[in-house]
């Protein structure tokens, strides 16, 4: 058996285990397969708040504030106790490592963060603008995974920055808009890039009722 087949089997077993684990907890299963989504739980003993600052924020430019409101499926009611996990590349387009990474940090790097919404549904991350991959194969993006009460974790469309020259119309038109559009338009506020993205739970998410 070659390495590619072994890796495929490993992913299948991981997804099967995750699905069985969610079912045993009585969670609603939505969103389809989600490789690496369990990284959302790797915040360890960190007390989650509605605001988080990612590592390397102070050392990089341009700084970026990522903020918005999470709404329930009706698009109007703020959603409380929703965990949001994000991660992205550094300014060289690499998922930066310290060398002591465990779990999914071996793939995602350490430039990542977690928040949990309050009654107003608001969330904010302070980070910096990521770079596209060194080979230019994808536009700049920030990955996002979400976990709402009584539902398994699932991924949303990445944050894509509208003024990125690699972000073409053909690419945007193919995006599924999971949770709503992830294309954001940065504006300078308080001396840093600010992007606002509201999230609607369940929008374009498979098996969501």
């Amino acid at each position: 058996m070659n390495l590619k087949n072994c890796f495929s089997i490993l992913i299948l077993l991981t997804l099967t285990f995750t699905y069985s684990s969610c079912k045993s907890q009585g969670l609603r299963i939505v969103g389809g397969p989600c490789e690496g989504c369990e990284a959302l739980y790797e915040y360890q003993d960190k007390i989650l708040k509605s605001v988080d600052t990612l590592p390397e924020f102070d050392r990089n430019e341009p700084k970026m504030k990522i903020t918005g409101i999470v709404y329930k499926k009706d698009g109007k009611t703020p959603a409380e106790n929703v965990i949001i996990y994000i991660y992205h590349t550094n300014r060289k387009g690499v998922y930066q490592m310290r060398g002591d990474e465990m779990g999914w940090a071996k793939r995602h790097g350490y430039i990542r963060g977690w928040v949990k919404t309050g009654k107003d549904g608001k969330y904010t991350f302070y980070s910096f603008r990521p770079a596209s991959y060194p080979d230019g194969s994808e536009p700049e993006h920030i990955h996002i995974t979400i976990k709402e009460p009584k539902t398994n974790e699932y991924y949303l469309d990445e944050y894509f920055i509208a003024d990125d020259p690699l972000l073409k119309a053909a690419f945007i038109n193919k995006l599924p808009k999971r949770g709503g559009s992830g294309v954001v338009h940065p504006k300078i506020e308080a001396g840093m890039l600010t992007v606002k993205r509201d999230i609607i739970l369940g929008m374009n998410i498979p098996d969501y009722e």
Side-chain angles (χ1 to χ4, degrees), residues 158-174:
E158 293 95 334
Y159 294 81
F160 293 102
I161 302 172
D163 62 6
D164 180 357
L166 291 179
L167 187 63
K168 308 296 186 183
F171 183 93
I172 294 173
N173 291 338
K174 293 180 180 179

Side-chain angles (χ1 to χ4, degrees), residues 77-143:
T77 307
E80 185 179 5
N81 293 324
V82 176
I83 299 174
I84 302 174
Y85 164 67
I86 68 168
Y87 68 98
H88 63 76
T89 64
N90 61 16
R91 291 298 300 157
K92 296 181 179 179
V94 174
Y95 295 105
Q96 190 167 335
M97 307 287 174
R98 291 192 179 102
D100 60 350
E101 282 73 23
M102 302 290 290
W104 280 98
K106 293 179 180 179
R107 296 268 304 272
H108 298 177
Y110 71 88
I111 301 174
R112 57 185 190 157
W114 294 261
V115 296
K116 188 175 185 179
T117 62
K119 292 182 178 180
D120 58 7
K122 292 181 179 179
Y123 74 95
T124 299
F125 292 100
Y126 289 95
S127 191
F128 57 91
R129 183 167 182 162
S132 59
Y133 297 150
D135 63 3
S137 59
E138 289 193 31
E140 302 167 4
H141 59 277
I142 298 172
H143 295 275

Side-chain angles (χ1 to χ4, degrees), residues 46-60:
K46 183 175 184 176
I47 297 175
L48 301 186
K49 301 179 180 180
S50 62
V51 180
D52 191 22
T53 301
L54 274 62
E56 303 296 329
F57 169 73
D58 292 332
R59 300 182 182 182
N60 285 277

Side-chain angles (χ1 to χ4, degrees), residues 7 20 25 33 36 67 73 75 78 85 87 91 95 98 107 114 126 132 150 154 171 176 193 205 207-209:
F7 185 67
S20 299
Q25 297 175 46
T67 190
K73 191 179 180 181
Y85 164 67
Y87 68 98
R91 291 298 300 157
Y95 295 105
R98 291 192 179 102
R107 296 268 304 272
W114 294 261
Y126 289 95
S132 59
K150 299 180 181 180
Y154 56 92
F171 183 93
L193 289 175
I205 303 298
D207 303 316
Y208 201 103
E209 297 178 358

